[in-house]
Amino acid sequence: MTSPEGTVYRCTAAEDCPRSSRVSLCVDDIGSQDAACIRCMNTECVAITPETC
């Protein structure tokens, strides 16, 4: 995830990442999710989008 200025959002936990009220925190490390969520990976905020069939 990048800020409007183009810098990467840094984190130590997913709770540190900015998100809208409709996006939750990822509950596990499995790649497939039912809904969009935010995860902290390697100190960077990552948005995970659901996989479609």
Side-chain angles (χ1 to χ4, degrees):
M1 295 176 55
T2 55
S3 70
E5 296 82 30
T7 59
V8 175
Y9 286 112
R10 296 289 179 181
C11 57
T12 54
E15 292 83 359
D16 300 335
C17 300
R19 60 188 171 95
S20 70
S21 60
R22 294 186 306 253
V23 177
S24 63
L25 300 175
C26 297
V27 294
D28 56 33
D29 291 336
I30 299 171
S32 61
Q33 300 290 327
D34 293 335
C37 64
I38 301 293
R39 176 178 292 143
C40 183
M41 295 179 72
N42 300 321
T43 71
E44 294 182 2
C45 295
V46 178
I48 306 297
T49 55
E51 294 180 9
T52 57
C53 296

